[in-house]
Structure formats: C-alpha cells, structure tokens
Amino acid sequence: MNTLVIGSQWGDEGKGKVIDFLTETADVVARSQGGSNAGHTVIAKGQKYVLHLIPSGILWEGKVNIIGNGVVINPTSLVEEIEYLRDKGVTISPANLLISDRAHVVLPIHKEIDAAQEEALGDQKIGTTKQGIGPTYADKARRVGLRMIDLADPVRLEKVLKARIKTANEELVRLGWPEADPKVTLDAVMTAADVLRPHITNTIPVINNAIKAGKTVLFEGAQGAMLDIDFGTYPFVTSSNTSAGGCCTGSGVAPTRIDKIIGVCKAYTTRVGEGPFVTEDDEIGDYLHGLGREFGATTGRPRRCGWTDGVVLRFSAMFNGFDEMAMTNLDGLDEIENIKICTGYRMGDEVLEYPPALMEDWAKCEPIYETVPGWMQDISSCTTWEELPENCKAYVKRFGEIVGCPVGSVGVGPDREQTITVPLN
Ligand code: GDP
Ligand code: IMO
Ligand code: MG
C-alpha cells in the first residue's frame, strides 16, 4: 500500500505530523517537490523537530528516506539540517538518507534573486520564503540549472560551478543588481558537497524496486494544493506542482503505483504570504495567535487565519483525487461557540462552487457561510472517536460532506499520539 500525503489548503496543514504517524507502518518515505521553503513539525516523545528538506520518516529507525528528483536542494541548508537532527540524536547515514542525482541545486545566487524580485514587486510581492525556490525552478525550466549529480566529482563541480556563477553574474548585472561573490558560492557548495556526496544516487530504481518487492512507500507532499503552480492562486503560488501529479514526476514513480491519496487539512484555514483568502477572519486569527498557535515553522511569521473554505477544499479534493482527509488542529476550535464553514463563493450574481482563475475575480468573491454549534470543551485528551463531543463529531462529518470527501482521522493535539481514527461509514 503506497500512500501519498498532500496538503489540501495553503500549506502548514500538519503534513509532518500525519507522515510521522503513518511512517510506523512504512518502509520508505519520499519527498518529491519543494525545497527548504517547507517546514514540517513533528512532536515525538515530547521532542520537537522541524524538517525542511529531509523526509519526516527520518525520525523512525530503519526507514529509507528519499529526497526525490523534483525537490530543489540548497546543499548548505541540507547539511545544516543533517547536523541539527544529529544533535538531537537522530542517526543519519547513506543507509537511511538518499538524495536523487537529478534533483536541482539551489545556489546562494537564487536566494539573492528571490529577495531582489520580491523587493522589485513592492506591495505586489508574493511573500515568498526567500529560499530561492522560484529562481531555481526557473533555471530548471530554462535548462541552465545545476543538479546534485554535478556535486559528485569535486573537479568537475568546480568547473561547472564557476561557469554557472559567471553566467548568473552576467544576468544579475543586466538586471542592475550587484554581482554575487564567486568565492563565497564556490566555498559554500564545495564544502557541502563533501558531506552530501555519499548520499547522492539514482533514487528512481531504489524506490521502484522497493515497490516491486512489496515494501510500503509513503510520499510526503510539501506546501499545499492552493500553492500549486497550475491549480493554485496564481501568481501567489510556489513554483512546483504541490498536487498529486507532482509526486509522480518528482519521484519517478508511476501514478498506477499509488494506492491511496490523503489530503491533510486544518479544521480551519491558514495561509502565510500574500494572495487571496476569502474566509480570512481576524477574530479567529487573534484568538489562535493568542494561544501561541499559527506562527510559521520556517519563517516565524504569524500565519493569516480564517474559517474552513469548502470551495478551496472541494477543488483540491477533485484535482488531487483524495480518498480521504486527515484533519488536524480540531482542538483549535475548542472554545469557539459558533463555527463557520464556507460552502460557496458569491461573486456578483453568481454562486461559485470552485475557485475562479483570475485575481480580479478572487477579489470579488464573498464567502457564503453555514454556521454550526461548537463543543466548548477541551478535546485534547480524547483518544477515540466515541469520546469526542457530539457537536465535534457533527462538525467533522459536515466538513466531509461539504468537501465531498470523508474525514478519516482527526488531530486533537500536536503530539504523535494525538490522532484519532474516524469510522468512515
Ligand atoms: P506542515 O508544514 O503541513 O507539516 O505543518 P506545520 O508543521 O508547518 O504546521 C502545523 C502546526 O500544527 C505545527 O505546529 C504542528 O505541531 C501543529 N499540529 C499538527 N496537528 C495538530 C493538532 O492536531 N493539534 C494541534 N494543537 N497542533 C497540531
Ligand atoms: P509547508 O510544506 C506554507 C508559500 C510562501 C509564499 C508562496 C511562495 O511547510 O506546508 P516560495 O518560497 O515557495 O516561492 O513562496 O508559498 N509557501 C508556504 N506556505 N507552507 C509551506 O510549506 C510553504 N512553502 C511556500 O509563504 O506565499
Ligand atoms: Mg509547514
């Protein structure tokens, strides 16, 4: 049984926690897209880990973790993450961490371009994580990028890196930006390459042979469906396919090998960065921030918060082919008396079931809400579906109806153990 776990909203749905929970019964955990823009939090045995590039399966012993060809890797960030995990007692070796030789490399120059582009956009900025993600994927599409295979031979690496820095600096000068220091880039990449070299391999036969041998593979999505470059709130998106299709192109596994697709969603909605957010609500945002919740795992930025958006989730469930939803942060609604769920958008005289494509149309959309009664009690110590208050169970079931996809589990706290299976009938 190979399972794909995808964020169904705008990221930070709790994918790390869900992956960690499912890893117990998996053999291989693979990332297929994104880069260190991701921040996946796992709380296991009282210890908190935030993972950016390394699959969350690394926290379990004896699992093979793969960073697939579709991921963009900043070698220095990856080395720092390996050291961060080792400091916390996690064992990392070429036996449990494999890096695709075809994954593209994020260079310091990409981060500079990312920051400069954001600055140039002024109040039209995307609100990127400034990790160089967009410029690296742009280079991949322009066929000028470096790949992890280029790190394999130090002599060759120096040559290709010098050539790439030269052309990148010419581009920067043309754009009126200062040149990057070639020595800084060279030193950083060469040093990190020495650490990463033993982990770099052709991961495609590894993952496919594991599947052939009957092993269980878990695919860890990054970001969320509405940040997908094709289906999201373009241009306020990231630069990869965060949806189900990205898993196949980013790992070299055929769609026919995926058995189950789980959409992770919060019991409400959050978004970091700019862009449309029809159900945004400052009152619920202030309330959640007051509880110390909803601050970005990568940037520390307060996340924008709002009610569940059935339009977004319905669309997301459709283009991702979700078999079930894994709802997290249900406990975040414990003290809300009247909970709103958006069932449609009103755009002028029209009622929309699915999101519009055009930014100007997004701006015209108003949420149509249904209100359901809250449960007004602490559910964080509940361990079974039966124990949950009736209003809470009714909310979860109604949520599934509006989205058109059943909720298969709910999270009642951040810890590995705080996950409750929901009967699907
Ligand atoms: P990811 O990027 O999708 O992995 O999500 P993040 O780690 O960025 O953000 C999710 C946040 O919600 C983290 O702080 C998690 O520890 C927390 N979290 C996940 N599930 C639950 C839950 O069921 N209840 C509570 N209280 N926190 C949760
Ligand atoms: P995880 O995996 C939330 C957002 C940024 C910005 C947009 C583009 O933790 O859910 P980028 O740096 O990718 O070019 O930024 O995408 N973004 C995320 N938001 N969670 C993430 O990852 C995100 N990764 C990127 O905030 O709006
Ligand atoms: Mg996150």
Side-chain angles (χ1 to χ4, degrees):
M1 183 75 144
N2 304 314
T3 304
L4 168 52
V5 174
I6 299 264
S8 61
Q9 295 158 320
W10 279 286
D12 302 330
E13 297 88 350
K15 298 174 290 295
K17 182 193 166 194
V18 172
I19 287 284
D20 175 62
F21 178 77
L22 296 173
T23 299
E24 189 169 10
T25 52
D27 303 294
V28 178
V29 184
R31 274 276 305 269
S32 311
Q33 43 68 230
S36 45
N37 49 350
H40 296 176
T41 314
V42 177
I43 298 179
K45 297 188 184 134
Q47 170 93 271
K48 179 176 167 178
Y49 307 84
V50 181
L51 297 131
H52 302 284
L53 278 160
I54 300 179
S56 304
I58 200 78
L59 304 177
W60 289 82
E61 264 176 50
K63 315 288 177 181
V64 175
N65 294 275
I66 295 179
I67 304 182
N69 56 279
V71 177
V72 289
I73 302 173
N74 179 327
T76 308
S77 306
L78 181 50
V79 169
E80 282 169 7
E81 192 170 335
I82 291 173
E83 281 164 5
Y84 156 85
L85 288 169
R86 282 191 178 141
D87 283 349
K88 286 182 177 268
V90 179
T91 307
I92 300 182
S93 77
N96 71 344
L97 180 65
L98 303 177
I99 304 167
S100 168
D101 50 8
R102 287 156 170 86
H104 275 249
V105 178
V106 180
L107 296 171
I109 261 166
H110 292 122
K111 287 179 84 166
E112 285 172 37
I113 296 175
D114 196 350
Q117 282 176 338
E118 283 285 273
E119 203 183 298
L121 282 169
D123 60 6
Q124 300 295 305
K125 71 175 195 289
I126 308 294
T128 75
T129 58
K130 298 195 180 143
Q131 294 296 312
I133 305 299
T136 307
Y137 278 117
D139 275 7
K140 177 178 177 177
R142 292 196 304 145
R143 297 160 292 188
V144 297
L146 249 70
R147 298 181 302 163
M148 292 307 283
I149 187 69
D150 294 315
L151 272 58
D153 168 8
V155 178
R156 198 176 158 279
L157 173 60
E158 190 169 347
K159 204 171 119 209
V160 285
L161 201 51
K162 275 184 175 160
R164 181 64 195 115
I165 295 168
K166 188 167 173 284
T167 54
N169 269 338
E170 285 163 7
E171 286 167 42
L172 284 174
V173 169
R174 265 203 305 279
L175 290 166
W177 292 328
E179 281 190 28
D181 182 345
K183 191 170 169 350
V184 172
T185 302
L186 207 59
D187 286 352
V189 179
M190 298 290 284
T191 309
D194 289 341
V195 179
L196 301 179
R197 202 162 287 127
H199 299 266
I200 300 170
T201 188
N202 182 359
T203 52
I204 295 158
V206 177
I207 196 164
N208 281 287
N209 287 337
I211 293 172
K212 219 172 178 178
K215 306 263 192 224
T216 298
V217 180
L218 202 52
F219 295 92
E220 177 170 349
Q223 289 79 55
M226 293 313 282
L227 291 170
D228 184 280
I229 190 151
D230 282 273
F231 308 117
T233 43
Y234 192 90
F236 297 95
V237 293
T238 189
S239 300
S240 65
N241 281 115
T242 59
S243 50
C247 158
C248 298
T249 55
S251 67
V253 172
T256 47
R257 301 292 179 269
I258 316 282
D259 303 297
K260 187 176 182 183
I261 307 182
I262 298 179
V264 186
C265 59
K266 278 191 174 131
Y268 44 92
T269 312
T270 63
R271 169 166 208 170
V272 238
E274 309 305 317
F277 186 173
V278 173
T279 63
E280 186 167 16
D281 184 292
D282 286 345
E283 220 167 295
I284 184 169
D286 291 345
Y287 166 73
L288 291 165
H289 293 146
L291 296 176
R293 298 166 74 131
E294 302 310 343
F295 293 92
T298 297
T299 59
R301 291 181 287 183
R303 295 174 181 146
R304 297 160 65 193
C305 301
W307 301 108
T308 283
D309 187 334
V311 177
V312 154
L313 287 169
R314 192 180 290 135
F315 192 42
S316 179
M318 175 185 275
F319 64 73
N320 282 297
F322 292 148
D323 294 300
E324 63 181 63
M325 308 298 292
M327 182 194 278
T328 67
N329 286 276
L330 186 55
D331 54 307
L333 298 178
D334 278 356
E335 292 169 32
I336 310 271
E337 206 168 342
N338 295 300
I339 302 172
K340 292 185 198 172
I341 315 180
C342 169
T343 57
Y345 292 166
R346 184 162 290 111
M347 192 179 81
D349 297 337
E350 274 181 89
V351 171
L352 304 187
E353 241 186 300
Y354 301 104
L358 202 64
M359 269 308 121
E360 286 83 343
D361 285 341
W362 272 102
K364 288 183 217 150
C365 290
E366 295 288 337
I368 301 170
Y369 284 124
E370 182 177 305
T371 303
V372 297
W375 45 95
M376 304 302 285
Q377 73 184 74
D378 182 351
I379 57 167
S380 62
S381 53
C382 293
T383 54
T384 63
W385 173 248
E386 288 70 29
E387 268 176 79
L388 290 172
E390 286 310 314
N391 282 356
C392 181
K393 289 193 273 192
Y395 175 69
V396 172
K397 288 290 173 190
R398 184 67 190 126
F399 185 106
E401 281 168 15
I402 290 169
V403 176
C405 180
V407 177
S409 68
V410 293
V412 294
D415 204 88
R416 190 181 264 180
E417 316 298 327
Q418 290 174 296
T419 305
I420 296 176
T421 304
V422 179
L424 279 180
N425 50 29

